Amino acid sequence: MNRRRFLTTSGSAALALTSGASASLPLPAAAQNRPRQPSQLKLGCQSAPTTDEHLGYLARYGVRHICGYPRIGDPGGNRVYPTVDELSSMRDLAEKHRIEILCVGPHILESSYINNEKHPAIMLAQSPERDRDIEGFQNLIRNCARTGLPSIKYNMSILGVLRSGTQPGRGDELDKVWKLSEAHPDTPLTIAGPVDADAFWERITYFLDRVVPVANEYKIRLACHPQDPGVPPEGYQGVDRVLGTVDGLKRFITIRESSYHGLNFCQGTVSEMLADPKEQIYDVIRYFGERNKIFNVHFRNIRGHRNDFVEVFPDEGDVDMVRALHVYREVGYQYMLMPDHVPTAALDPHGLQSFAFCYGYIRGLMQSADYAV
């Protein structure tokens, strides 16, 4: 487009946007005669906390569905699950902002480093403590059902989220980096000690054997996040991250097969597992999506590949996010697309501006896809 035509078109667009509150730009000619086919995709977010202030921020940017984090009124910190009243209070607060809570984040099985976990027994296979914490998770399932909250996300991680540093991104942002060749853990092992694949699968299976039947009974979806990032089979800090490969995730969903047992599908983390994510990620989405095993999506992007990548804004990574969104539609995915791991900057240390950018980006893709063939 030449400069004169650009200015003329820009001026017409500005006039259309300012000529009245209801004015809008016309659709392209090819789309004008094409019926809008809205999908069931929902713009969502899992950022915390679920407070009046943060809910107001989310509502400001058109986020109407979220993962919520209930407060637990237990000064001693021994109760790991919220009561029905505590869940209802969180739900009511969100509804005040016209936001619906579609997922709940528990106070155990988070993505944090095991040495920092207040309740590590499930992942350490410590009995009888892990049975007590599993009972707490079962109570969370029951209380979510009684409160009308349909899903719970969780992690089965010992190492948390591994990154080796940061590097400058566009503008004044900082992007997080993982280069396995440059990663140097603070200690050779965590408090978990060596955990090979067999030991890790035992801990996963022990948990699923006890919670999936309760999820079936109460019809609550359990969404597990992959391990971020994957590491070589010999492990990192003595830990073989079995949920850090696509084959591992395929095995995971077959343990206690159930329509309520699936994935908190982090597209960024799964991309980090692949040798060529810009070509491979779409078939992975199809594999789990066609089996109805995707319960949430962290819709984020990376540049790079397994063992060497940088986290970036969704519009500047290797994965074609437009194509990815169409695959989610193709497989009938109907839950949230959420930003995750956004870049930060000195003037935006908590990433609120970055999240706002991602909300608009995802909303725009969703709306444009409604008119696509």
Side-chain angles (χ1 to χ4, degrees), residues 123 158 193-205 227 231-236 238-245 248 251 255:
M123 296 315 304
I158 291 174
V195 183
D196 64 14
D198 289 341
F200 218 132
W201 283 119
E202 185 280 330
R203 296 173 197 193
I204 290 169
T205 303
Q227 291 162 345
V231 296
E234 60 269 22
Y236 184 84
V239 177
D240 186 344
R241 309 191 92 181
V242 297
L243 301 184
T245 68
R251 174 174 173 177
I255 302 173

Side-chain angles (χ1 to χ4, degrees), residues 159-170:
L159 300 178
V161 177
L162 299 173
R163 296 294 182 264
S164 56
T166 60
Q167 69 180 39
R170 65 187 185 196

Side-chain angles (χ1 to χ4, degrees), residues 249-258 261 287 293:
L249 296 179
K250 290 179 178 179
R251 174 174 173 177
F252 175 79
I253 64 171
T254 66
I255 302 173
R256 298 297 306 212
E257 176 58 44
S258 163
H261 163 47
Y287 182 89
K293 292 300 183 181

